[in-house]
Amino acid sequence: MGSGLRGRHLLSMEDLSREEILEILDMASELKREQHVRRPHRILPGRTLALIFEKPSLRTRVTFEVAMRQLGGDTVYLTQQDIGLGVRETVADVARNLSRWIDGIAARVFAHRTVEALAQAAEVPVINALSDREHPCQALADLLTIREKLGTFQGAVVAWVGDGNNVCHSLLLGAAKVGLSLHVATPEGYEPDQAILEAARQHAARTGARLLLTHQPEEAVRGAQVVYTDVWTSMGQEAEQEKRRRAFAGFQVNQALLAHSPEALVMHCLPAHRGEEITGEVLDGPRSVVLDQAENRLHAQKALLALVLGG
């Protein structure tokens, strides 16, 4: 493991260069091939990853736990009830204590400032397993899936339809860095963060990726090889649910919208609300690659852990 990622934090896709993203994807592809032929890869024997989860999870928890075990390591799962992060103990004290016992921290939190505080105090690598600002692990799995299905990033177009949320933020940055064009369609007032959008535009200027921001889903989808959506109301936004449902009317990924790009694949990071942001017919249909995308959370995170904790 001669990677420059050894011992590094991953809080944002901005923490990774284009070359490092491709290194993770290449290793993920190799580990996936090995796993599918039942070839063991015990890269992290004796290593332990702490999982700090303020939010419940299916994909993130299972894939991190399985990844560490397949790599020969182990995990310790800690909920907010277990440790009272920022309440019973300060975030910094939790990070300093964990640093004496474990080899890395993956944190799924509400506020991005929490994962930043963990990284500032920890003496071990901290991985953002989701915050309100970014979801870099999801973006790595998404890029792996897109490359598998399309064969290349160059000349490909992904349409994001829905909220300019944390997943959108990480995908914007990652796509721009690897030269993947991204069309983002959101209702007015739900656009991606302006600072992230500007950073993505700067990366795109160097790689040739084309970024389009629109309020018309049809415009975003036209010419896209992939159509991607996410829930309209994320955890922590429940009070806005009715307001968001009204604002996002017309942004559902359904057969009528997909008619503007008849061959496009469909992605969703899950969990999905059938009948809201996507119809069950589309989610479960032949163009959906959501389960491949979910599987790739395992392989992308396994590669990331091997490169960050290995050596």
Side-chain angles (χ1 to χ4, degrees):
M1 292 298 166
S3 172
L5 290 168
R6 174 75 175 94
R8 295 247 305 272
H9 300 309
L10 175 59
L11 309 186
S12 164
M13 289 299 283
E14 281 288 71
D15 295 331
L16 298 173
S17 68
R18 176 184 181 275
E19 291 71 26
E20 288 166 343
I21 293 172
L22 296 177
E23 180 183 16
I24 294 168
L25 299 185
D26 289 344
M27 186 168 197
S29 296
E30 178 59 28
L31 292 176
K32 184 175 183 176
R33 283 190 291 270
E34 291 183 359
Q35 182 62 32
H36 283 183
V37 298
R38 302 296 182 185
R39 184 180 302 156
H41 33 246
R42 295 180 60 81
I43 297 171
L44 300 178
R47 304 291 171 88
T48 303
L49 179 72
L51 300 174
I52 297 178
F53 277 44
E54 291 185 323
K55 293 183 174 186
S57 167
L58 171 65
R59 279 152 295 279
T60 302
R61 178 179 177 179
V62 172
T63 53
F64 267 114
E65 289 197 358
V66 173
M68 281 300 290
R69 287 175 186 155
Q70 289 182 357
L71 291 168
D74 208 345
T75 58
V76 177
Y77 180 70
L78 301 166
T79 69
Q80 181 66 353
Q81 286 183 319
D82 295 321
I83 58 176
L85 188 67
V87 179
R88 181 170 174 267
E89 292 191 71
T90 67
V91 174
D93 282 347
V94 169
R96 293 186 190 110
N97 276 267
L98 286 174
S99 296
R100 298 299 180 101
W101 307 319
I102 50 82
D103 303 287
I105 299 169
R108 181 178 172 90
V109 299
F110 283 98
H112 191 73
R113 63 180 178 274
T114 301
V115 78
E116 290 178 326
L118 283 168
Q120 185 173 9
E123 297 177 10
V124 295
V126 174
I127 294 171
N128 179 2
L130 177 141
S131 71
D132 60 353
R133 183 173 178 82
E134 278 203 58
H135 198 348
C137 293
Q138 181 65 57
L140 289 171
D142 295 340
L143 292 173
L144 179 61
T145 306
I146 291 164
R147 191 174 73 170
E148 284 180 349
K149 301 302 179 183
L150 303 184
T152 182
F153 295 127
Q154 275 60 49
V157 178
V158 174
W160 174 275
V161 179
D163 191 17
N165 61 12
N166 50 359
V167 178
C168 181
H169 288 162
S170 290
L171 190 60
L172 267 167
L173 294 168
K177 287 188 176 190
V178 300
L180 174 65
S181 295
L182 190 63
H183 296 173
V184 177
T186 72
E188 292 187 25
Y190 295 90
E191 298 87 353
D193 179 87
Q194 190 59 42
I196 287 178
L197 190 58
E198 182 54 36
R201 283 173 172 154
Q202 291 178 16
H203 297 310
R206 290 189 287 271
T207 64
R210 292 178 289 107
L211 302 182
L212 170 69
L213 186 63
T214 178
H215 300 302
Q216 302 298 324
E218 298 81 5
E219 182 182 9
V221 168
R222 199 170 293 117
Q225 286 79 50
V226 177
V227 177
Y228 192 160
T229 191
D230 192 7
V231 295
W232 293 340
T233 306
S234 299
M235 282 182 284
Q237 300 173 331
E238 287 79 7
E240 304 174 28
Q241 186 169 2
E242 287 306 316
K243 176 185 175 184
R244 283 174 168 268
R245 187 174 288 137
R246 291 191 298 270
F248 284 85
F251 283 78
Q252 184 184 78
V253 175
N254 51 34
Q255 294 289 15
L257 183 62
L258 291 178
H260 295 277
S261 190
E263 303 300 321
L265 301 174
V266 175
M267 294 175 63
H268 192 306
C269 55
L270 303 177
H273 297 160
R274 286 172 168 82
E276 288 190 12
E277 76 276 3
I278 192 168
T279 61
E281 178 186 21
V282 168
L283 187 68
D284 302 321
R287 293 158 64 183
S288 172
V289 296
V290 298
L291 293 180
D292 295 323
Q293 184 184 0
E295 178 188 341
N296 280 339
R297 288 290 302 276
L298 171 64
H299 307 299
Q301 286 162 193
K302 193 190 300 185
L304 175 65
L305 290 168
L307 292 167
V308 169
L309 301 183

